[in-house]
Amino acid sequence: MRVFSGIQPSGDLHIGNYLGAVKQWAATQSTDSLYCVVDLHALTLQIDPATLRTQTDDLLAALIAAGLDPSRCTLFVQSHVSYHAQLSWLLECVATYGELTRMTQFKEKAERQEGYRVGLLTYPVLMAADILLYQTDQVPVGDDQRQHLELARDLAERFNNRYGAIFTVPVGVQPPAAARVMDLQEPTRKMSKSVSSPLGTIYVLDPPEAIERKVKKAVTDTDGEMRFDWDHKPGLANLLEIYAGFSGERPDAVAARFSRYGDLKRELAELIITELAPIAERYRELRASGPELRGIANDGAEKARHLAGATYQRAAAAMGLS
Ligand code: AMP
Ligand code: TRP
């Protein structure tokens, strides 16, 4: 079964990315899985070129440290395989302006800035190209990518109806808990790489003291009643989901084991530190070995190029390109 997923090198990996995506990638990876650092997607917002380059390497190292094994799965950088941009153009001529302007993430990001880039609008088409190039069956992603994934499915079906059966229609896969990790200070807002919230975001590479402090200061509520309830107790529900994401339990089962918020927070911090500390350690070793990382990315791109090329040629030919 072919699995594909992607992640933007637009900032440091946080526990939302880890629980929503990367932890499932590592757990289910096989020789049929591809994971992509989507640097072309990062260009949709302002990013300094040197920063983008460094963050791409940082993220490759962080993904390996978090458990992706390049001798099993294929790990590569999107811009190294030119078919992504090429298929994206073909799919832009299948997608409609109306369906792109209806995307929630586009509306939210466009609202925050003047003169936003056209790439911000066409971003989900590039994401569809990423997925469809590899005849992907499953796409493990967090909850925020649901709508984009639906679009990828729609584009695949429309293309197949119009030009012949070229693409596999993919399905999205969400983790059983923590598919949407919220900001610890503002539990109605998604934990995010692009919005800086110093106390609200736990990074995978945070030192133990920082993790302890952030969990301790996480916003909860004043009634002190231990119950899993997103509507009325979002701060607590978020902590329970995060706990469940790390421990593999269900959030309501976690709630049943604790009576005091303080105890939950203390154990949660410990749980997070125990899982993340070895990742930080491996990251530091890997990051110090530049050439090895380049070699991994080059091998990954070569494998990906081979698969993507075959699909691209078929799609282009089906549309009448000669
Ligand atoms: P991004 O950082 O936007 O490239 O996201 C990479 C992956 O992490 C995608 O699968 C997202 O759905 C997932 N993700 C990002 N933020 C969160 C979050 N706050 N909670 C759960 N998953 C997330
Ligand atoms: N848009 C995704 C995000 O911001 C990243 C992404 C790009 C992706 N291409 C993808 C995820 C293909 C899954 C499959 O999180």
Side-chain angles (χ1 to χ4, degrees), residues 19-280:
L19 296 177
V22 178
K23 188 175 171 165
Q24 349 171 42
W25 301 356
T28 57
Q29 66 189 316
S30 78
T31 50
D32 230 6
S33 317
L34 296 106
Y35 304 104
C36 184
V37 174
V38 293
D39 54 349
L40 298 175
H41 277 94
L43 297 174
T44 55
L45 299 174
Q46 177 55 35
I47 184 163
D48 167 65
T51 306
L52 177 56
R53 208 168 287 126
T54 312
Q55 287 184 171
T56 299
D57 287 347
D58 289 346
L59 187 53
L60 282 170
L63 292 174
I64 299 168
L68 291 191
D69 175 358
S71 70
R72 279 200 278 162
C73 67
T74 301
L75 178 61
F76 72 106
V77 178
Q78 187 183 31
S79 66
H80 296 182
V81 180
S82 58
Y83 298 116
H84 290 248
Q86 287 176 273
L87 182 63
S88 186
W89 174 255
L90 302 191
L91 294 177
E92 275 185 38
C93 298
V94 174
T96 69
Y97 180 75
E99 66 193 342
L100 296 186
T101 51
R102 280 198 295 275
M103 292 287 128
T104 312
Q105 202 171 82
F106 164 72
K107 287 193 276 190
E108 280 170 8
K109 287 191 181 171
E111 209 169 71
R112 278 192 241 132
Q113 50 184 313
E114 292 258 302
Y116 55 81
R117 301 160 189 215
V118 181
L120 198 63
L121 177 68
T122 57
Y123 163 121
V125 182
L126 178 59
M127 174 165 164
D130 298 340
I131 297 167
L132 301 184
L133 271 177
Y134 299 95
Q135 305 295 356
T136 302
D137 300 298
Q138 289 197 348
V139 186
V141 280
D143 178 72
D144 62 336
Q145 297 303 313
R146 240 180 236 261
Q147 199 184 26
H148 292 159
L149 205 81
E150 228 11 77
L151 180 82
R153 289 168 55 83
D154 288 348
L155 295 181
E157 281 168 1
R158 197 176 309 152
F159 187 102
N160 288 348
N161 286 333
R162 209 174 274 173
Y163 300 107
I166 303 290
F167 298 122
T168 302
V169 181
V171 297
V173 186
Q174 254 106 54
R180 189 177 194 84
V181 175
M182 309 306 273
D183 188 285
L184 299 181
Q185 288 296 312
E186 263 183 84
T188 48
R189 194 164 63 72
K190 186 183 74 165
M191 191 177 281
S192 145
K193 284 211 205 95
S194 47
V195 180
S196 151
S197 173
L199 270 179
T201 311
I202 296 179
Y203 295 100
V204 169
L205 302 175
D206 266 347
E209 313 76 65
I211 295 175
E212 236 160 51
R213 182 161 29 96
K214 289 174 186 179
V215 172
K216 195 166 177 189
K217 289 195 184 287
V219 169
T220 48
D221 52 65
T222 48
D223 74 19
E225 200 187 322
M226 185 64 73
R227 171 158 68 77
F228 180 56
D229 180 348
W230 269 112
D231 290 340
H232 302 103
K233 301 164 84 71
L236 182 64
N238 193 33
L239 295 179
L240 292 167
E241 286 265 0
I242 295 171
Y243 196 114
F246 277 98
S247 72
E249 288 163 278
R250 283 175 31 164
D252 52 352
V254 178
R257 283 204 286 112
F258 289 95
S259 48
R260 299 216 311 256
Y261 294 180
D263 296 338
L264 169 72
K265 285 182 165 183
R266 208 167 316 110
E267 273 206 31
L268 174 59
E270 224 176 271
L271 187 65
I272 300 175
I273 291 166
T274 307
E275 187 153 332
L276 297 188
I279 297 179

Side-chain angles (χ1 to χ4, degrees), residues 301-318:
E302 197 171 319
K303 280 198 261 172
R305 210 175 282 126
H306 180 71
L307 295 169
T311 306
Y312 176 76
Q313 299 303 347
R314 286 178 59 214

